[in-house]
Amino acid sequence: MGKLYSKEYEVHYYEVDSELNCTITTLINILCDVGTTQSEILGGGIEYLIDRNMAWVFYQYNIKVNRYPKCGEKIKAETKPIGFKKFYALREYKIYDSNGNIIVEAEAIFFLINIEKRKTMRVPKEQYDIYGLDGDMKESFKIERLERLQEPMFEKDFEARYSDIDFNRHVNNTKYIEWAIDSLPIDILNNYKLESIKVTFEKECIYGSKINVFSSYREEEEGYLTTLHKIESSDEKELTKLVGVWKKI
């Protein structure tokens, strides 16, 4: 495993929902920020990547929320790279409350791309040195195949806005989460809390793209719901798959 890094945060009013709980997209942004900050400190940040025509892109993440922090709460995010394998990277995250309890746990898989060619590239040795990793992961590197949505119950259309675009010149990963959540009925959103989410990003989406979001849900035992989501471009190319687990409030 690589070098460990942590950073403290405070949950602000503009980062919470109607119940003053931190939103899932804010938690994801915190995870992204703590990883990016570590890279900057270690010398492998944005300018380093630009100079070498490289970018790290999310491929999949798995997030479990044990508790949503409240407005004004101080939290600590922690991350470490687990390893590289060819053009993939695995990173682990935890978020703690002020009492040291783990309130969020996550893993993310990235792949490295050549920015100009928009194609994957082998992780250079310099990256291993930056993050304190000795060679490729020896453990098997498994990418989970998410359950596929078969029969949509809901559909909602969106358009990628200028404000949705990030440094990699495509729609930021949190926007897909927002689209998926916004496609669900308000009764689910008002009566259930998202406890975990798994996301796989298949293709990128750029400014002006027309987006179709398809969703469904099924009831599980002990007051849980599972929601399945598929996000497509207007020409029916699958962009993203998502699976959410929700607990009744």
Side-chain angles (χ1 to χ4, degrees):
M1 292 188 182
K3 300 172 182 177
L4 183 69
Y5 175 74
S6 65
K7 182 178 177 181
E8 295 184 352
Y9 297 84
E10 180 177 343
V11 180
H12 301 98
Y13 178 75
Y14 54 82
E15 298 171 320
V16 299
D17 61 17
S18 60
E19 300 298 320
L20 296 179
N21 292 313
C22 184
T23 64
I24 185 67
T25 51
T26 293
L27 291 176
I28 295 170
N29 283 330
I30 287 172
L31 300 180
C32 293
D33 181 72
V34 70
T36 300
T37 303
Q38 182 190 39
S39 296
E40 293 288 348
I41 291 171
L42 294 176
I46 293 173
E47 291 299 325
Y48 165 90
L49 294 171
I50 291 174
D51 290 344
R52 290 158 180 80
N53 194 35
M54 302 188 303
W56 284 107
V57 178
F58 272 112
Y59 177 67
Q60 186 177 86
Y61 52 61
N62 181 356
I63 301 171
K64 185 177 187 304
V65 182
N66 301 319
R67 180 178 71 81
Y68 285 86
K70 304 290 287 188
C71 183
E73 189 170 346
K74 291 180 172 56
I75 56 178
K76 182 179 76 170
E78 181 181 276
T79 186
K80 60 185 174 186
I82 302 300
F84 294 130
K85 198 101 169 184
K86 296 182 179 178
F87 42 78
Y88 288 107
L90 178 63
R91 184 180 275 275
E92 180 184 271
Y93 305 86
K94 290 185 175 70
I95 297 179
Y96 299 84
D97 65 16
S98 58
N99 294 318
N101 300 308
I102 299 173
I103 57 175
V104 179
E105 303 170 81
E107 279 192 350
I109 297 172
F110 303 80
F111 57 81
L112 189 65
I113 66 166
N114 178 296
I115 296 174
E116 290 181 2
K117 296 180 180 178
R118 310 305 289 176
K119 292 185 177 180
T120 55
M121 60 179 288
R122 185 69 162 85
V123 179
K125 182 182 182 302
E126 193 174 32
Q127 287 280 289
Y128 293 77
D129 297 335
I130 287 172
Y131 294 104
L133 296 167
D134 298 322
D136 279 351
M137 293 174 59
K138 294 181 174 54
E139 303 87 350
S140 59
F141 192 91
K142 294 182 179 179
I143 299 176
E144 183 178 358
R145 296 175 65 87
L146 301 187
E147 181 179 354
R148 182 175 293 276
L149 173 64
Q150 300 294 340
E151 297 183 7
M153 300 168 63
F154 317 106
E155 179 180 352
K156 197 164 186 176
D157 300 333
F158 299 87
E159 181 173 340
R161 306 166 301 173
Y162 178 78
S163 59
D164 297 332
I165 307 302
D166 63 15
F167 159 69
N168 291 321
R169 299 187 306 214
H170 60 203
V171 170
N172 184 267
N173 67 91
T174 60
K175 300 303 176 181
Y176 297 90
I177 313 301
E178 292 177 352
W179 290 338
I181 291 173
D182 285 341
S183 71
L184 294 171
I186 192 65
D187 286 348
I188 290 179
L189 303 180
N190 283 339
N191 293 289
Y192 290 82
K193 182 65 70 175
L194 183 61
E195 194 169 89
S196 67
I197 189 165
K198 298 178 181 180
V199 187
T200 299
F201 300 97
E202 300 288 355
K203 295 182 182 298
E204 65 181 359
C205 173
I206 61 175
Y207 168 72
S209 298
K210 303 294 191 296
I211 305 300
N212 308 116
V213 182
F214 303 93
S215 300
S216 69
Y217 74 90
R218 66 170 178 264
E219 296 184 0
E220 309 284 7
E221 296 180 354
E222 299 180 3
Y224 282 89
L225 288 181
T226 295
T227 60
L228 304 175
H229 310 267
K230 177 175 64 173
I231 299 178
E232 291 183 346
S233 59
S234 58
D235 57 357
E236 299 184 354
K237 291 181 180 177
E238 186 171 271
L239 305 176
T240 307
K241 291 195 293 287
L242 306 92
V243 178
V245 175
W246 302 69
K247 186 175 183 180
K248 191 168 183 60
I249 299 173

